Amino acid sequence: GIDRELTVKVKASVRGTDLHIDFAGSSPQSEWSINSPPQFTYAYTFVGLKMVVAPHLPNNSGQMRPVRMSMPLGTITNPRYRSVGVAVRHTVGHFCCFAVLGALSKAVPHQGQAESTPGGFFNIQGLTDGGRPFLAMSKDSPGLGARQDGDGISCVRFPMSIRNEPVETWEGYLPMFIVVKKEIRTDSGGPGRHRGGYGDFSRTSS
């Protein structure tokens, strides 16, 4: 559902004791169901902020109080109500976190991490041989981006921190599918002083 290049643009600025995050310049809302509603944009923006500003503190309302956000109406970070779909909102919303990390890296270059990808998944639904309906989700996980002090973690989705699914679990609740192969993607982390985490993929037959 992406037929053109999309931009999530962030400007971070300090005003007195407040931190202002501005999404002006982000792409117009998409006709596809990939737009990020403001609540989702706000949540994952705050994930990026917390990673840099207060990664070790428990979540609390005081951390959010000095943060101000501007999300222009009609953009992919704040679509007009009921005019477009938001079912696959993570496609854009999760990248709000990376945009924030990129903006803050200008001020604190030794914190945060390199970009990751939220990864893909697909749903499988149908009827078993006994006529019982089933619904399952298959997840192959990319790795986390590299950090200043080390490599990224392999086979973990950012920002949800979901690990890859064991083969035994998959075949246990979907006996009609057999996993032929599940393996690490060789060299998928990229080169560098610290590499990104490796991703994985699987092949199935039914």
Side-chain angles (χ1 to χ4, degrees):
I2 301 176
D3 55 5
R4 58 187 169 87
E5 184 175 300
L6 299 175
T7 299
V8 176
K9 188 173 182 179
V10 165
K11 179 181 179 181
S13 55
V14 176
R15 299 178 183 177
T17 59
D18 292 344
L19 176 62
H20 185 231
I21 303 295
D22 189 0
F23 282 91
S26 296
S27 296
Q29 64 188 42
S30 172
E31 295 181 359
W32 300 95
S33 188
I34 60 174
N35 300 278
S36 178
Q39 300 90 336
F40 201 81
T41 299
Y42 183 91
Y44 282 97
T45 295
F46 192 72
V47 169
L49 290 174
K50 193 173 186 310
M51 286 177 62
V52 173
V53 177
H56 303 299
L57 292 179
N59 290 326
N60 64 82
S61 62
Q63 294 172 339
M64 305 171 74
R65 206 168 294 140
V67 178
R68 304 287 181 267
M69 295 189 196
S70 298
M71 296 168 275
L73 185 63
T75 64
I76 55 173
T77 61
N78 185 14
R80 296 183 182 277
Y81 183 55
R82 291 187 176 179
S83 63
V84 291
V86 298
V88 198
R89 56 194 174 275
H90 71 278
T91 304
V92 168
H94 288 172
F95 287 99
C96 295
C97 181
F98 298 128
V100 170
L101 289 174
L104 294 181
S105 69
K106 306 294 191 301
V108 281
H110 299 297
Q111 294 177 245
Q113 69 177 49
E115 288 190 18
S116 308
T117 175
F121 60 87
F122 63 93
N123 293 326
I124 301 173
Q125 59 182 340
L127 298 174
T128 65
D129 291 339
R132 183 172 60 88
F134 70 86
L135 172 65
M137 179 185 294
S138 172
K139 301 180 291 294
D140 287 333
S141 298
L144 299 185
R147 299 160 291 176
Q148 288 289 337
D149 57 352
D151 296 340
I153 302 172
S154 295
C155 303
V156 174
R157 287 166 171 259
F158 183 89
M160 302 87 74
S161 296
I162 299 175
R163 288 190 176 274
N164 61 340
E165 190 172 26
V167 170
E168 293 80 7
T169 301
W170 175 253
E171 293 183 336
Y173 63 73
L174 286 178
M176 68 290 294
F177 287 92
I178 301 297
V179 177
V180 177
K181 179 184 289 188
K182 189 174 183 72
E183 61 184 351
I184 298 291
R185 292 182 181 269
T186 304
D187 295 332
S188 57
R193 178 183 300 173
H194 300 301
R195 61 161 177 78
Y198 295 131
D200 73 334
F201 74 102
S202 57
R203 296 173 184 168
T204 62
S205 64
S206 59

